[in-house]
Amino acid sequence: MERVILIKYGELTTKKGNRNFFVHTLTENIKMKLKNYHVTIKKDLSRMSISFDLEQMDEILEKINQVFGIHAYHIAHKVPSNIEDIKIEILTMLKSISFSTFKIEVKRSDKTFSMNSMELERFLGGVVLKNLEGKKVDVHHPDVLFKVELCKDYTYLYTNSIKGLGGYPVGTQPKALAMLSGGIDSPVAIYLALKRGIKVDAVYFEAMPHTSIEAREKVISLTKKLAKYKNKITLYVVPFTEIQEAIYKNGNSDYCITIMRRMMYRIMDRLCKKNKAVAIINGESIGQVASQTLNSMAVINEVTKTPIIRPVACLDKLEIIDIAKKIDTYEISILPFEDCCTVFVPKHPVINPVLEECLKSEEKFDYFEMIQKAIDNILTFSITEDDKKKYEDLL
Ligand code: ATP
Ligand code: MG
C-alpha cells in the first residue's frame, strides 16, 4: 500500500478558463520545491497525487506547506480500485484510531465501477459495523469522517485534512518589483504579494558608506527567507548615495524624505519598464510615519503611473509583526543595522507635503543623470532559499 499526498484543485480558482494554467503552474512549483526528494507526481482532472518516501515525509510536508495555491491536502492511502483491497484497508486504518461514531463518504469518478457512490457508502459502512465492535454511524457530527475517492485504477482513502498555505500559485500573475528595506514591513508585503501569485523580485536602495555592508547582508538574508515561496528571487541593489546626498544638500530638510521617496519611485518606475514588471510593491502602512500619510503618499505617488500595491497598507503594526514572525523574517528585521531611510531622517518630516515645494527642491539638481547612473551601477543577486553561497565576492 502506498502513501500519497492528495491535493484537490477545488479552491484553486473560481475562473474555469484559468484552471489549466493554475494547475500547471502549481504542478511546476511543486516539482521545483520537491526536486531533491524521491517523489512521483501524477495529475488527473480534479486532483494531484504525490507519492513519496515515508522516511522523507516530515521534510516533504514542510516543503508542501511553503507552496502557495494549496488550500488543503490529505495524506491518503492508495489502494487498487477493487472492493476487497478497499475493505481491508478501511478496517486497518480505522483499527488504528479511537472513535465511536463515523461516516463514510464516497466520491466515484470511475462510473464503470460495479456500485454507485451511495451503494458503496452503505456497503462499506456495513463492513465497519460488522467488523469493529461498538461503532455507530453518525451522518451529521461523526468523530471520524472517512473519505473514499474511487478513481479508475486506484482508490484514495483518508480521514485527515491538513490546511495548506492558501493563495494562488506564484507565477499566475505577472512580474512586479518590490521595494525591500531591512525593516519589518516590506518582507511581509512581499510575502503577501507572492501569496496572490505575483512573481516578485526585490529592489534595495543603499547609501554606502552611510549604510553598512551588514545592512545589505540583512536584506540578502530576508530575500533568502522569502525565496522559500518562490524558487528564485532576483535582488537589485541600487547605489543611492549620490542622490541622497544631493537631496540633503539642495532641499528643504523637512521635505527630504518626501523627495527621497519620489526619487525611489522614479527609479522603480524605470526598473519596472526595463524588467517588464507591471507593478511596484512596498511595505507602506497608512499613517505609520510622516511619509505614509495619505497626503504624503499622494504627493510621492505623483512621479509614477505604474500601479503601486501596498499589501500591508491597512494592517496594524502588531498584525504585520505576527506575519513576520510566522514567516521567520522578524528576527532578521529587528537587527539594528540602519538603512538609508533611518540614517537621513529629518527632525520634522512633513506630514502634509505640497507638490510645488517638492518640485522647487528637485529643480536644484540634475537628478535625471544621477538616476541613470544609479541604474547603470545596480548590483544583481540571484537568491534561492537553500543558497549556501555567502555572496562574499559581491559584498
Ligand atoms: P519596513 O517598512 O520594511 O519595516 P521601514 O519601516 O524602514 O521598513 P519605511 O520607512 O516605513 O521603511 O518605508 C516604507 C517602505 O518603503 C518600506 O516598507 C519599503 O517597501 C520601502 N523602502 C524604504 N526604504 C527602502 C530601501 N532602503 N530600499 C528599498 N525599499 C525601501
Ligand atoms: Mg515601515
Side-chain angles (χ1 to χ4, degrees), residues 179-187 203-205 261 264 281-284 288-289 292 317 339-342:
M179 301 164 72
L180 177 60
S181 66
I184 295 167
D185 307 329
S186 46
V203 179
Y204 167 58
F205 294 85
R261 299 195 65 79
M264 283 183 175
I281 287 157
N282 69 31
E284 288 174 340
Q288 193 181 83
V289 288
Q292 292 168 34
K317 192 76 187 184
D339 83 346
C340 63
C341 294
T342 35

Side-chain angles (χ1 to χ4, degrees), residues 93-101 135 143-144:
M93 286 170 76
L94 285 181
K95 272 180 194 158
S96 71
I97 47 182
S98 72
F99 66 99
S100 317
T101 59
K135 310 297 182 197
D143 296 340
V144 175

Side-chain angles (χ1 to χ4, degrees), residues 157-173:
L157 310 168
Y158 57 88
T159 55
N160 56 52
S161 180
I162 302 161
K163 200 167 177 290
L165 205 51
Y168 296 132
V170 173
T172 52
Q173 290 290 330

Side-chain angles (χ1 to χ4, degrees), residues 117-300:
S117 302
M118 256 190 357
E119 288 164 350
L120 198 55
E121 277 170 7
R122 267 196 225 118
F123 172 78
L124 293 171
V127 168
V128 175
L129 292 172
K130 199 151 53 173
N131 289 277
L132 303 180
E133 223 167 276
K135 310 297 182 197
K136 271 201 210 125
V137 174
D138 182 343
V139 291
H140 300 295
H141 305 288
D143 296 340
V144 175
L145 177 60
F146 199 106
K147 300 237 189 183
V148 178
E149 292 189 18
L150 191 124
C151 308
K152 182 141 183 35
D153 299 318
Y154 292 102
T155 295
Y156 301 101
L157 310 168
Y158 57 88
T159 55
N160 56 52
S161 180
I162 302 161
K163 200 167 177 290
L165 205 51
Y168 296 132
V170 173
T172 52
Q173 290 290 330
K175 192 196 282 186
L177 289 182
M179 301 164 72
L180 177 60
S181 66
I184 295 167
D185 307 329
S186 46
V188 171
I190 293 180
Y191 171 81
L192 293 174
L194 288 166
K195 186 169 186 181
R196 300 272 53 86
I198 303 171
K199 279 192 267 187
V200 184
D201 283 324
V203 179
Y204 167 58
F205 294 85
E206 76 175 358
M208 299 251 237
H210 309 294
T211 60
S212 62
I213 198 68
E214 284 86 358
R216 186 197 291 177
E217 280 172 333
K218 186 175 161 183
V219 172
I220 290 176
S221 305
L222 289 169
T223 312
K224 237 174 165 173
K225 290 278 180 200
L226 293 164
K228 266 188 216 163
Y229 309 99
K230 179 184 181 241
N231 176 37
K232 187 179 77 195
I233 296 182
T234 304
L235 171 68
Y236 301 97
V237 177
V238 182
F240 201 54
T241 316
E242 193 185 14
I243 296 173
Q244 205 151 20
E245 286 175 352
I247 296 170
Y248 283 84
K249 213 165 72 201
N250 295 296
N252 167 347
S253 81
D254 295 352
Y255 270 71
C256 283
I257 293 277
T258 314
I259 294 169
M260 184 190 82
R261 299 195 65 79
R262 283 166 59 89
M263 293 299 166
M264 283 183 175
Y265 276 3
R266 286 185 171 108
I267 293 175
M268 289 304 292
D269 198 51
R270 294 269 305 271
L271 289 180
C272 282
K273 291 200 174 82
K274 196 171 162 190
N275 293 286
K276 299 194 170 53
V278 299
I280 297 169
I281 287 157
N282 69 31
E284 288 174 340
S285 179
I286 297 164
Q288 193 181 83
V289 288
S291 62
Q292 292 168 34
T293 62
L294 279 185
N295 284 333
S296 280
M297 283 181 181
V299 169
I300 292 166

Side-chain angles (χ1 to χ4, degrees), residues 104-121:
I104 294 185
E105 219 172 76
V106 174
K107 265 209 192 105
R108 187 187 64 138
S109 56
D110 176 17
K111 305 291 179 205
T112 61
F113 195 77
S114 56
M115 286 185 234
N116 70 24
S117 302
M118 256 190 357
E119 288 164 350
L120 198 55
E121 277 170 7

